[in-house]
Amino acid sequence: IKLLKKLDFEVYPVALSTRDNGIISPAFPTIQKFNYVIALVYLNQKPVFLDATDEERPLGFLPERCLNGQGRIIHETRSGWIDLPSDNKSKTSVFANYTLSPEFEITGTVEYSMHEFAALAFREDYKKFPGKEDYLADQESKCPGLSINNLSIQNLDSLNLPVNIRQEIAMNNQIDDLGDVISLNPLLFNRMSVSPFVSKERKFPVDYAFPREEKITVQLQIPQGYSVSGVPEAINLVLPEKKASYKYQVITSGNLVKLIAKLTIDDVVFTEDEYTLLREFYNQIIAKQAETIILKKADS
Protein backbone atom coordinates (compact mmCIF):
# COMPACT_ATOMS: atom_id res chain seq x y z
CA ILE A 1 0.00 0.00 0.00
CA LYS A 2 2.88 2.38 0.80
CA LEU A 3 4.54 1.51 -2.51
CA LEU A 4 1.37 2.17 -4.51
CA LYS A 5 0.86 5.47 -2.69
CA LYS A 6 4.40 6.54 -3.60
CA LEU A 7 3.53 5.72 -7.23
CA ASP A 8 0.51 8.04 -6.96
CA PHE A 9 -2.17 5.35 -7.08
CA GLU A 10 -5.39 5.78 -5.13
CA VAL A 11 -5.11 2.90 -2.69
CA TYR A 12 -6.63 1.97 0.68
CA PRO A 13 -6.19 -0.84 3.19
CA VAL A 14 -9.23 -3.12 3.57
CA ALA A 15 -9.62 -5.13 6.77
CA LEU A 16 -11.63 -8.34 6.62
CA SER A 17 -12.41 -11.61 8.32
CA THR A 18 -11.26 -14.74 6.48
CA ARG A 19 -13.70 -17.54 5.78
CA ASP A 20 -12.42 -19.78 8.57
CA ASN A 21 -12.66 -16.84 10.98
CA GLY A 22 -16.36 -16.24 10.34
CA ILE A 23 -18.49 -13.50 8.83
CA ILE A 24 -18.54 -10.05 10.42
CA SER A 25 -21.94 -8.46 10.89
CA PRO A 26 -21.87 -4.86 9.58
CA ALA A 27 -24.45 -4.00 12.24
CA PHE A 28 -22.23 -5.19 15.13
CA PRO A 29 -18.60 -5.11 13.99
CA THR A 30 -15.73 -5.43 16.45
CA ILE A 31 -12.09 -4.78 15.67
CA GLN A 32 -11.15 -8.14 17.20
CA LYS A 33 -13.02 -10.00 14.44
CA PHE A 34 -10.84 -8.60 11.67
CA ASN A 35 -7.84 -10.85 11.03
CA TYR A 36 -6.60 -9.98 7.53
CA VAL A 37 -5.71 -6.96 5.40
CA ILE A 38 -5.74 -6.54 1.62
CA ALA A 39 -5.28 -3.53 -0.65
CA LEU A 40 -7.94 -1.74 -2.69
CA VAL A 41 -6.48 0.19 -5.61
CA TYR A 42 -8.34 2.12 -8.28
CA LEU A 43 -7.12 1.49 -11.83
CA ASN A 44 -8.82 3.67 -14.44
CA GLN A 45 -11.43 4.44 -11.77
CA LYS A 46 -12.22 0.74 -11.34
CA PRO A 47 -11.66 -0.98 -7.97
CA VAL A 48 -9.11 -3.80 -7.95
CA PHE A 49 -8.36 -5.88 -4.85
CA LEU A 50 -4.79 -7.04 -4.24
CA ASP A 51 -3.23 -9.60 -1.93
CA ALA A 52 0.54 -9.71 -1.52
CA THR A 53 0.94 -13.19 -0.03
CA ASP A 54 0.95 -15.42 -3.13
CA GLU A 55 3.31 -15.04 -6.09
CA GLU A 56 1.11 -17.31 -8.24
CA ARG A 57 -1.91 -15.04 -8.00
CA PRO A 58 -2.87 -12.83 -10.97
CA LEU A 59 -3.89 -9.19 -10.58
CA GLY A 60 -7.34 -8.88 -9.03
CA PHE A 61 -7.59 -12.49 -7.77
CA LEU A 62 -8.08 -12.64 -4.04
CA PRO A 63 -7.38 -15.93 -2.21
CA GLU A 64 -10.50 -17.96 -1.55
CA ARG A 65 -10.00 -17.38 2.19
CA CYS A 66 -10.66 -13.65 1.59
CA LEU A 67 -13.94 -14.04 -0.31
CA ASN A 68 -16.15 -13.64 2.72
CA GLY A 69 -18.89 -11.09 2.25
CA GLN A 70 -17.66 -7.57 3.00
CA GLY A 71 -14.49 -5.84 4.09
CA ARG A 72 -13.96 -2.50 5.80
CA ILE A 73 -12.03 0.33 4.11
CA ILE A 74 -9.72 1.89 6.67
CA HIS A 75 -9.25 5.60 5.99
CA GLU A 76 -9.65 8.94 7.73
CA THR A 77 -12.44 10.13 5.41
CA ARG A 78 -13.41 7.15 3.22
CA SER A 79 -13.90 4.46 5.83
CA GLY A 80 -16.84 2.17 5.00
CA TRP A 81 -18.00 -1.30 4.01
CA ILE A 82 -17.24 -2.71 0.57
CA ASP A 83 -18.33 -5.96 -1.07
CA LEU A 84 -15.51 -8.44 -1.64
CA PRO A 85 -15.59 -9.63 -5.28
CA SER A 86 -16.71 -13.03 -6.53
CA ASP A 87 -16.73 -12.16 -10.23
CA ASN A 88 -13.91 -14.47 -11.28
CA LYS A 89 -14.92 -18.08 -11.73
CA SER A 90 -13.37 -21.53 -11.84
CA LYS A 91 -13.72 -22.70 -15.44
CA THR A 92 -12.50 -25.99 -16.88
CA SER A 93 -13.00 -27.48 -20.34
CA VAL A 94 -12.04 -31.09 -21.04
CA PHE A 95 -11.91 -32.70 -24.47
CA ALA A 96 -11.14 -36.41 -24.69
CA ASN A 97 -10.72 -38.40 -27.89
CA TYR A 98 -10.59 -42.18 -27.32
CA THR A 99 -10.37 -45.33 -29.40
CA LEU A 100 -11.51 -48.70 -28.05
CA SER A 101 -9.50 -51.58 -29.50
CA PRO A 102 -10.88 -55.11 -30.15
CA GLU A 103 -8.76 -56.17 -27.16
CA PHE A 104 -10.72 -53.65 -25.04
CA GLU A 105 -7.83 -51.25 -24.49
CA ILE A 106 -8.72 -47.56 -24.51
CA THR A 107 -6.14 -45.20 -25.99
CA GLY A 108 -6.32 -41.55 -26.94
CA THR A 109 -5.72 -37.98 -25.85
CA VAL A 110 -7.15 -35.79 -23.12
CA GLU A 111 -6.90 -31.99 -23.32
CA TYR A 112 -7.65 -29.63 -20.43
CA SER A 113 -8.12 -25.88 -20.56
CA MET A 114 -8.28 -24.32 -17.08
CA HIS A 115 -9.19 -20.68 -16.56
CA GLU A 116 -9.11 -18.25 -13.65
CA PHE A 117 -9.51 -20.06 -10.28
CA ALA A 118 -9.18 -23.48 -11.94
CA ALA A 119 -5.82 -22.45 -13.43
CA LEU A 120 -4.73 -21.02 -10.09
CA ALA A 121 -5.67 -24.24 -8.27
CA PHE A 122 -3.69 -26.33 -10.77
CA ARG A 123 -0.60 -24.13 -10.46
CA GLU A 124 -0.73 -24.37 -6.68
CA ASP A 125 -1.15 -28.16 -6.81
CA TYR A 126 1.58 -28.65 -9.42
CA LYS A 127 4.09 -26.75 -7.27
CA LYS A 128 3.93 -29.56 -4.71
CA PHE A 129 5.71 -31.98 -7.07
CA PRO A 130 9.50 -31.89 -7.61
CA GLY A 131 9.06 -32.49 -11.36
CA LYS A 132 6.80 -33.67 -14.17
CA GLU A 133 7.55 -37.36 -13.57
CA ASP A 134 6.41 -37.10 -9.97
CA TYR A 135 3.19 -35.42 -11.10
CA LEU A 136 2.59 -38.19 -13.66
CA ALA A 137 3.20 -40.90 -11.07
CA ASP A 138 0.68 -39.26 -8.74
CA GLN A 139 -1.97 -39.05 -11.47
CA GLU A 140 -1.46 -42.68 -12.50
CA SER A 141 -1.66 -43.85 -8.87
CA LYS A 142 -5.15 -42.31 -8.58
CA CYS A 143 -6.45 -44.46 -11.44
CA PRO A 144 -5.18 -48.06 -11.53
CA GLY A 145 -4.53 -49.26 -15.06
CA LEU A 146 -3.85 -45.75 -16.36
CA SER A 147 -0.71 -44.96 -18.32
CA ILE A 148 0.05 -41.33 -19.29
CA ASN A 149 2.53 -40.43 -22.02
CA ASN A 150 3.69 -37.24 -23.73
CA LEU A 151 2.35 -34.83 -21.17
CA SER A 152 2.58 -31.17 -22.20
CA ILE A 153 1.65 -28.17 -20.04
CA GLN A 154 1.34 -24.68 -21.50
CA ASN A 155 1.20 -21.29 -19.76
CA LEU A 156 2.23 -22.68 -16.39
CA ASP A 157 4.14 -19.48 -15.61
CA SER A 158 1.87 -17.08 -17.53
CA LEU A 159 -0.46 -16.12 -14.72
CA ASN A 160 -2.98 -14.21 -16.83
CA LEU A 161 -3.43 -17.04 -19.35
CA PRO A 162 -5.31 -20.34 -19.01
CA VAL A 163 -3.34 -23.49 -18.23
CA ASN A 164 -3.57 -25.91 -21.17
CA ILE A 165 -2.68 -29.57 -20.72
CA ARG A 166 -2.49 -32.31 -23.31
CA GLN A 167 -1.72 -35.93 -22.50
CA GLU A 168 -1.82 -39.28 -24.27
CA ILE A 169 -3.37 -42.06 -22.21
CA ALA A 170 -3.89 -45.82 -22.30
CA MET A 171 -6.24 -47.83 -20.05
CA ASN A 172 -7.04 -51.51 -20.08
CA ASN A 173 -9.37 -52.19 -17.15
CA GLN A 174 -12.44 -50.09 -17.90
CA ILE A 175 -14.56 -52.70 -19.69
CA ASP A 176 -17.12 -55.10 -18.23
CA ASP A 177 -17.16 -58.05 -20.63
CA LEU A 178 -20.56 -59.77 -20.43
CA GLY A 179 -20.05 -62.11 -23.37
CA ASP A 180 -22.17 -60.88 -26.27
CA VAL A 181 -22.22 -57.34 -24.87
CA ILE A 182 -19.73 -55.09 -23.13
CA SER A 183 -20.32 -52.16 -20.81
CA LEU A 184 -18.12 -49.12 -20.23
CA ASN A 185 -18.33 -45.66 -18.75
CA PRO A 186 -17.03 -43.02 -21.19
CA LEU A 187 -16.20 -40.67 -18.29
CA LEU A 188 -12.77 -42.08 -17.52
CA PHE A 189 -11.81 -38.88 -15.67
CA ASN A 190 -13.59 -36.03 -13.90
CA ARG A 191 -16.37 -38.35 -12.79
CA MET A 192 -18.11 -37.35 -9.57
CA SER A 193 -18.52 -40.38 -7.34
CA VAL A 194 -19.04 -38.88 -3.86
CA SER A 195 -21.43 -36.06 -3.02
CA PRO A 196 -20.01 -33.07 -1.13
CA PHE A 197 -23.32 -32.92 0.74
CA VAL A 198 -23.81 -36.00 2.90
CA SER A 199 -25.96 -34.63 5.72
CA LYS A 200 -29.70 -34.61 5.16
CA GLU A 201 -30.10 -31.23 6.85
CA ARG A 202 -28.01 -28.09 7.07
CA LYS A 203 -28.28 -25.12 9.43
CA PHE A 204 -25.94 -22.77 7.57
CA PRO A 205 -25.72 -21.54 3.96
CA VAL A 206 -23.55 -23.23 1.35
CA ASP A 207 -20.97 -20.70 0.17
CA TYR A 208 -19.01 -21.60 -2.97
CA ALA A 209 -16.89 -18.40 -2.80
CA PHE A 210 -16.89 -18.05 -6.61
CA PRO A 211 -18.90 -19.34 -9.61
CA ARG A 212 -17.87 -22.61 -11.28
CA GLU A 213 -18.18 -24.12 -14.73
CA GLU A 214 -16.96 -27.49 -16.02
CA LYS A 215 -17.58 -28.82 -19.50
CA ILE A 216 -16.56 -32.31 -20.60
CA THR A 217 -16.65 -33.59 -24.16
CA VAL A 218 -15.76 -37.21 -24.92
CA GLN A 219 -15.50 -38.84 -28.32
CA LEU A 220 -15.16 -42.62 -28.36
CA GLN A 221 -14.49 -44.69 -31.46
CA ILE A 222 -15.78 -48.25 -30.93
CA PRO A 223 -14.21 -51.23 -32.73
CA GLN A 224 -15.54 -52.81 -35.89
CA GLY A 225 -17.87 -55.71 -35.17
CA TYR A 226 -19.69 -53.86 -32.39
CA SER A 227 -22.72 -51.59 -32.38
CA VAL A 228 -24.17 -49.31 -29.71
CA SER A 229 -27.00 -51.11 -27.95
CA GLY A 230 -27.82 -48.61 -25.22
CA VAL A 231 -26.77 -45.19 -23.91
CA PRO A 232 -27.78 -43.12 -20.87
CA GLU A 233 -30.77 -40.84 -21.34
CA ALA A 234 -30.10 -37.12 -21.65
CA ILE A 235 -30.91 -34.89 -18.69
CA ASN A 236 -31.12 -31.15 -18.14
CA LEU A 237 -31.20 -30.23 -14.46
CA VAL A 238 -31.86 -26.61 -13.51
CA LEU A 239 -32.22 -25.30 -9.97
CA PRO A 240 -34.71 -22.48 -9.20
CA GLU A 241 -33.66 -19.02 -10.42
CA LYS A 242 -31.07 -20.81 -12.59
CA LYS A 243 -28.61 -20.81 -9.72
CA ALA A 244 -27.07 -24.06 -11.00
CA SER A 245 -27.54 -26.38 -13.94
CA TYR A 246 -26.27 -29.68 -15.31
CA LYS A 247 -26.65 -30.97 -18.85
CA TYR A 248 -25.70 -34.48 -20.00
CA GLN A 249 -26.22 -35.98 -23.43
CA VAL A 250 -24.83 -38.95 -25.37
CA ILE A 251 -25.03 -38.95 -29.17
CA THR A 252 -24.17 -41.88 -31.43
CA SER A 253 -23.32 -41.94 -35.12
CA GLY A 254 -22.13 -45.23 -36.59
CA ASN A 255 -19.08 -46.32 -34.63
CA LEU A 256 -18.68 -42.95 -32.89
CA VAL A 257 -20.08 -42.17 -29.44
CA LYS A 258 -20.03 -38.56 -28.24
CA LEU A 259 -20.77 -37.43 -24.70
CA ILE A 260 -21.28 -33.79 -23.69
CA ALA A 261 -21.68 -32.82 -20.03
CA LYS A 262 -21.68 -29.37 -18.46
CA LEU A 263 -21.96 -28.35 -14.81
CA THR A 264 -22.57 -24.69 -13.98
CA ILE A 265 -22.78 -23.08 -10.54
CA ASP A 266 -23.78 -19.47 -11.21
CA ASP A 267 -24.79 -18.41 -7.72
CA VAL A 268 -22.25 -18.31 -4.92
CA VAL A 269 -24.52 -18.70 -1.87
CA PHE A 270 -27.33 -21.24 -1.32
CA THR A 271 -29.41 -20.81 1.81
CA GLU A 272 -30.19 -23.63 4.23
CA ASP A 273 -33.72 -23.69 2.78
CA GLU A 274 -32.24 -24.45 -0.65
CA TYR A 275 -29.96 -27.18 0.66
CA THR A 276 -32.33 -30.12 0.04
CA LEU A 277 -32.64 -29.24 -3.65
CA LEU A 278 -28.89 -28.68 -3.96
CA ARG A 279 -28.16 -32.04 -2.32
CA GLU A 280 -30.58 -33.84 -4.66
CA PHE A 281 -29.04 -31.97 -7.60
CA TYR A 282 -25.66 -33.54 -6.81
CA ASN A 283 -27.17 -36.96 -6.17
CA GLN A 284 -28.70 -36.96 -9.65
CA ILE A 285 -25.40 -35.87 -11.22
CA ILE A 286 -23.54 -38.71 -9.50
CA ALA A 287 -26.17 -41.25 -10.56
CA LYS A 288 -26.09 -40.05 -14.18
CA GLN A 289 -22.29 -40.05 -14.39
CA ALA A 290 -22.22 -43.64 -13.12
CA GLU A 291 -24.30 -44.88 -16.06
CA THR A 292 -22.60 -46.80 -18.87
CA ILE A 293 -22.98 -47.35 -22.59
CA ILE A 294 -23.68 -50.87 -23.84
CA LEU A 295 -21.98 -52.26 -26.93
CA LYS A 296 -23.21 -55.39 -28.66
CA LYS A 297 -21.39 -57.70 -31.03
CA ALA A 298 -22.80 -57.12 -34.49
CA ASP A 299 -23.42 -60.82 -35.22
CA SER A 300 -25.07 -61.64 -31.86
Side-chain angles (χ1 to χ4, degrees), residues 63-74:
E64 183 175 346
R65 61 181 175 271
C66 296
L67 303 179
N68 194 30
Q70 292 183 315
R72 182 82 179 180
I73 298 174
I74 307 299

Side-chain angles (χ1 to χ4, degrees), residues 130-149:
K132 183 185 292 187
E133 295 303 319
D134 301 277
Y135 171 76
L136 283 176
D138 177 76
Q139 296 301 300
E140 291 176 343
S141 69
K142 295 177 180 177
C143 188
L146 170 65
S147 175
I148 302 177
N149 301 297

Side-chain angles (χ1 to χ4, degrees), residues 48-65:
V48 177
F49 294 89
L50 304 176
D51 178 83
T53 65
D54 185 354
E55 63 183 11
E56 300 288 344
R57 195 164 298 279
L59 179 72
F61 273 72
L62 289 178
E64 183 175 346
R65 61 181 175 271

